Amino acid sequence: MSDAGRKDFSTKAKEAVIPDSSKSTQSKVSETFTDTGDKLARGAQPDHDKSTGQEISDKFGRSKDREVHGSSGGSVLDKTKNALGLGDKH
């Protein structure tokens, strides 16, 4: 089960199982857009406002992103605010 406007676990699992070489260009582009939208939504909504399943999925996704891309932590929204100079000023 997923929160409104979010990819659910089964959709993510299906996309991950199919190798990119077997996907059409349209499918790859569609996945890229929906993945980006899902990551933005993941960062915009606090975990305590999410369903349990979505919260667990988002925590796993953030952990995977940090492992793959390296990160100092923080949500996508926080990083965007900081990049625009709108973040917390300590």
Side-chain angles (χ1 to χ4, degrees):
M1 188 71 196
S2 68
D3 294 347
R6 301 289 310 276
K7 279 186 170 182
D8 63 10
F9 178 76
S10 63
T11 300
K12 291 178 185 180
K14 288 176 192 173
E15 291 174 352
V17 170
I18 300 170
D20 283 344
S21 60
S22 298
K23 296 176 186 175
S24 69
T25 301
Q26 182 179 6
S27 293
K28 291 177 192 178
V29 169
S30 175
E31 282 182 26
T32 299
F33 279 111
T34 57
D35 287 346
T36 301
D38 197 58
K39 285 182 181 183
L40 289 171
R42 174 178 83 190
Q45 184 181 18
D47 283 346
H48 65 272
D49 288 344
K50 299 174 185 176
S51 66
T52 303
Q54 197 69 59
E55 180 180 0
I56 291 168
S57 176
D58 287 354
K59 285 181 180 179
F60 175 76
R62 284 191 298 269
S63 174
K64 182 179 176 190
D65 287 349
R66 279 191 294 272
E67 181 181 310
V68 172
H69 302 292
S71 174
S72 58
S75 71
V76 172
L77 184 60
D78 291 336
K79 290 177 183 178
T80 302
K81 285 180 184 177
N82 291 337
L84 296 173
L86 304 171
D88 290 337
K89 309 246 192 286
H90 296 298

